[in-house]
Amino acid sequence: MLAVLDTIAATRAAIGQRRSGGTIGLVPTMGALHAGHASLIQRARRDCATVVVSVFVNPLQFDRREDLERYPQSLEADLELCRRDGVDIVFAPTVSEMYPRPMEMAVDVGRLADHLCGRFRPGHFQGVATVVLKLLQIVQPDVAYFGEKDAQQLAVVRRLVTDFNVPVRIAGVPTVREPDGLALSSRNLRLSAEERRLAPCLYAALQRAAASVDDGATNAPEIARDAATLVPADGRLRLEYLELVDPEDFQPVTRISGPVIAAGALWVGRTRLIDNVRCTPPTQDGPPEGGHDA
Ligand code: AMP
C-alpha cells in the first residue's frame, strides 16, 4: 500500500517503522514523472526493502520565475506510476513545509558550478544541493538514486555527501531516451509538435562529439565546434553551450587524454533542454560490458 505523506513528521515516522526491515532507498524528483523517473524507481525497488519517492518542485533551484511557473505538475498521475512500480512512500510536501521560513543557510557548491548549467543558471546548484541535503536529512536513506541525464547535478550530489560525510550511497542511473534519442524530461511536455521534431538534434550533436573522441580526436574545442554544426540553423533553436568537461570536477578540458563528458543545453522555443554523453578515447576503453557498477 502506497502511503502519500505531506509532512516531514509523518514521513519520518513512517520510515522509522520500516527501518529495521532493511535498506531504505530514496528517489528525489520534481514530479511530472515519466519513464526516466520510473527507471530510478525500479532500480530502487530491486535494491531496497523500502522505496521512498519525493515529489517537490523546489523553488530554490529555479533561476527563472517563468520556468517555475510553467513547470508541469501532475500529482495524481505521479501517484499512479508510483503505485504501479511498488513505491512504499511518496513524500510530497508543500513549499511551506520544506521552507517554513526563508533559509538563512545554503550549500555553497564551489567550482563544480562554475561551468555548464552552473554558469548559465546562477544559484541553481546551490538550490539543488540545499534541497538534497534537506531530503537526505529527512529520509535518511541508505541509497539515493539520481539520473545520469543530469550529470553535473549527480557530480554535485556525490561531492555534497563526501564533503559533509552524509552516510548514504549515491547511485547513478543511465539516461532513458525516446526512440529518436531525445532524453526523457518533464520539460518535453512543453514542446509543440514542431519543437519536438527538432529537439533530438542535441543528442545527435553530443553523439557526434563522442564519435570524434572515439576516433582519436583530442582537441576538445574543435570537437565541440564540429558537434555544434548538427544543430540546424533554425530560429527556434539556440545552443546555450556544448562543452567537453572532466567527469569528476566538471572543469572544461582542452586536450583529451581520458574519459570526458560532452554536455549541452539547447533552447527549443521557450524550453531549455539539457543532455550529456560520456566520451571515451580509443586508448582508454571502459570496463567490459556488465563489468562496472553504475
Ligand atoms: P527531476 O524530476 O527532473 O528533478 O528528475 C528527478 C530525477 O530523475 C533526477 O535524478 C534526474 O536526473 C532523473 N531523470 C530525469 N530524466 C531522466 C531520464 N531521461 N533518464 C534517467 N533519469 C532521469
Side-chain angles (χ1 to χ4, degrees):
M1 252 291 273
L2 177 70
V4 183
L5 305 170
D6 59 5
T7 68
I8 294 168
T11 302
R12 281 203 165 126
I15 293 167
Q17 283 175 2
R18 305 182 68 113
R19 209 170 282 287
S20 58
T23 52
I24 313 277
L26 170 66
V27 181
T29 80
M30 297 203 299
L33 302 184
H34 51 63
H37 299 109
S39 155
L40 273 64
I41 292 170
Q42 287 156 12
R43 169 87 184 273
R45 187 65 287 169
R46 283 200 298 275
D47 295 351
C48 303
T50 295
V51 176
V52 183
V53 172
S54 62
V55 175
F56 180 60
V57 181
N58 173 36
L60 281 193
Q61 71 189 68
F62 283 80
D63 53 311
R64 291 178 309 114
R65 200 186 161 141
E66 192 218 7
D67 190 29
L68 176 59
E69 282 166 0
R70 289 178 71 215
Y71 200 84
Q73 300 208 35
S74 54
L75 187 60
E76 276 316 309
D78 294 348
L79 298 180
E80 218 24 73
L81 185 148
C82 288
R83 270 186 207 104
R84 189 200 69 196
D85 284 336
V87 171
D88 300 295
I89 297 170
V90 167
F91 172 50
T94 58
V95 172
S96 59
E97 178 71 7
M98 285 297 274
Y99 302 113
R101 49 189 183 159
M103 293 283 285
E104 194 64 39
M105 309 274 158
V107 178
D108 180 346
V109 291
R111 282 192 326 145
L112 273 177
D114 281 353
H115 299 279
L116 310 181
C117 288
R119 172 161 165 236
F120 289 97
R121 300 187 67 187
H124 169 65
F125 286 118
Q126 177 167 316
V128 169
T130 301
V131 81
V132 168
L133 186 55
K134 282 170 75 80
L135 290 169
L136 293 176
Q137 298 286 24
I138 292 164
V139 175
Q140 300 186 11
D142 299 285
V143 194
Y145 296 83
F146 292 85
E148 290 172 358
K149 146 110 183 352
D150 300 287
Q152 192 172 15
Q153 167 172 286
L154 178 56
V156 165
V157 171
R158 285 194 194 285
R159 192 61 200 252
L160 171 79
V161 304
T162 307
D163 280 6
F164 289 106
N165 306 92
V166 184
V168 62
R169 186 165 76 79
I170 302 301
V173 179
T175 303
V176 178
R177 300 181 178 282
E178 301 281 5
D180 62 7
L182 178 66
L184 265 56
S185 162
S186 307
R187 290 185 175 89
N188 293 352
L189 292 170
R190 294 185 193 159
L191 301 173
S192 69
E194 192 52 25
E195 289 169 349
R196 171 63 188 82
R197 197 182 60 72
L198 291 164
C201 68
L202 175 58
Y203 181 54
L206 297 171
Q207 275 188 307
R208 164 90 145 242
S212 301
V213 173
D214 186 51
D215 281 349
T218 57
N219 183 325
E222 239 171 49
I223 294 167
R225 264 195 305 278
D226 167 65
T229 63
L230 288 199
V231 175
D234 184 302
R236 288 162 292 196
L237 298 177
R238 184 169 66 80
L239 189 62
E240 191 171 80
Y241 66 75
L242 192 163
E243 272 193 72
L244 277 65
V245 296
D246 180 278
E248 301 283 311
D249 65 9
F250 276 74
Q251 302 303 302
V253 167
T254 44
R255 190 147 203 92
I256 292 168
S257 59
V260 293
I261 288 180
L266 178 71
W267 283 92
V268 184
R270 288 164 68 202
T271 304
R272 181 179 180 277
L273 302 178
I274 60 168
D275 201 352
N276 70 88
V277 167
R278 198 177 166 92
C279 313
T280 312
T283 49
Q284 298 261 341
D285 281 341
E289 194 69 9
H292 90 154
D293 177 18

